Amino acid sequence: MTETVAVAGATGYLGRHVCVALAEAGFAVRALVRSQEAARKQGNFGAPSLAGIATEWSLVDYQRPETLQGVFDGADRVVSTLGVTRQKASPWDIDFLGNLRLLEQAEASGVRSFCYANVIRSDSGTSLTMRSKHAFSQVLRRSSVAGQIVNPSGYFSDMTDVLMMARKGIGFVVGDGEGHVNPIHGADLAAFIVDKLTGPAGEWDVGGPDTFTYRELAKLAFDVSGRSGRIIAVGPRMTRTVIGVADHASPQASNLARFFLEGFQLDATGTPVGTHHLADYWRTLP
Ligand SMILES: NC(=O)c1ccc[n+]([C@@H]2O[C@H](COP(=O)([O-])OP(=O)(O)OC[C@H]3O[C@@H](n4cnc5c(N)ncnc54)[C@H](OP(=O)(O)O)[C@@H]3O)[C@@H](O)[C@H]2O)c1
C-alpha cells in the first residue's frame, strides 16, 4: 500500500526537493504549507514547484497550534524541514516550538517515524538558531516516535551568497579559514532523506561530494566568477565587535551575526553523498 508522508516546511529549498524525491519514490505527499499558491510557484534557488507533486495539502500556522490539530492523522511518516532561515521569526518559536508542536501531533497520530533536518554541529555555537535546533533534536531523541535526525552541512542555496560577493570582488574568511565544509545540493540531501526514511531511527552527518576549506571556497568563487579579489580575514577582535554591535541592534541581528561568524569557523563536514558539484551549480546562476 502507498505510504503517505507529511512534509513540514514543504515550501522551502530543501522541503520542495524532499517532496519531489518522495513523489518519485512512490510515496503520497501531504504538504504542510502556509500558502498553496506560493507552493505551486517555483521556489528560490531553483527549487521545484509542488504543483502535481503534493496530493494532499494542509494549511498551517506554527504560531497558532490549533491549526496543527490532527495534521498527521492518516499519515504514515513525517519529514520536517521547518526552520527559520530568511523569514522574520524567532528560531525558538519555529525551529524549537513549531517542531515540538509537530512532534506532539506525530506522537498523538502514531506515525511510524519523524525525520528532522537539523544542522551539522548543532551542539556548538551560541546563536539562537543553533540552540533551538539542538534543543529540538534532543527532544526528538526522547520521543515515542522513531526519530531520524539528519545533520547537513551548508546547502548550495546558502552558498549562493559566497558567489554573489565574489562577483563584487569580495571574499572573506573568519579566523584562519582552514575549517572544512562540504556543501550539499537540495536534491542530493532529499535523496539521502528518502533513502533513510523507511529504515530505523538514527542520526547522520551528511554533506556533498566536494570538501573545501573556507579559504578554498572563497578562491573557487573568485575562479567561477572570473573576478580577482582579496580574501579578507575576519579576526577574533573584529568578530567580537560585530557580535557586540549586533547584540545591541536586535535579537535577529544577534542571531545572524553569531550564526554566520561562528559557523564559518566550524569544521562542518558530513559523510559525502550526491552527484551535484558546487562549481557547476554556481556556473548556472544568472
Ligand atoms: N540552508 C542551509 O544551508 C542549511 C544547512 C543545514 C541545515 N539547514 C536547516 O534545514 C532546514 C531547511 O532549510 P532551507 O534552506 O530549506 O530553509 P527555507 O528554504 O527557509 O525553508 C524553511 C521552511 O520553513 C518554513 N518557515 C520558516 N519560518 C516560518 C514561519 N515563521 N512560519 C511558518 N513557516 C515557516 C518556510 O515556509 P515559507 O516558505 O512559507 O517561508 C519553509 O517552508 C532548516 O531547518 C535549516 O535550518 C539549512
Side-chain angles (χ1 to χ4, degrees), residues 72-110:
F72 298 135
D73 289 355
D76 297 281
R77 300 178 189 277
V78 175
V79 177
S80 176
T81 65
L82 172 69
V84 172
T85 58
R86 290 167 166 80
Q87 299 82 358
K88 281 202 181 86
S90 162
W92 188 254
D93 289 346
I94 302 300
D95 295 66
F96 181 70
L97 280 179
N99 276 302
L100 179 63
R101 288 175 181 136
L102 288 176
L103 183 60
E104 286 166 354
Q105 293 299 324
E107 288 166 347
S109 299

Side-chain angles (χ1 to χ4, degrees), residues 9 11-14 34 81-83 85 87 94 118 133 155 158:
T11 46
Y13 172 71
L14 176 60
R34 37 183 178 179
T81 65
L82 172 69
T85 58
Q87 299 82 358
I94 302 300
N118 191 27
K133 300 190 86 64
Y155 301 167
D158 267 18

Side-chain angles (χ1 to χ4, degrees), residues 230-280:
R230 206 162 65 85
I231 297 175
I232 300 159
V234 181
R237 188 183 295 176
M238 176 62 92
T239 301
R240 275 196 303 276
T241 305
V242 173
I243 287 177
V245 170
D247 283 350
H248 282 93
S250 70
Q252 197 182 11
S254 167
N255 180 48
L256 276 178
R258 287 167 185 269
F259 183 78
F260 284 108
L261 291 173
E262 292 171 352
F264 266 71
Q265 298 180 71
L266 273 184
D267 249 321
T269 52
T271 303
V273 300
T275 56
H276 291 79
H277 299 281
L278 183 62
D280 296 340

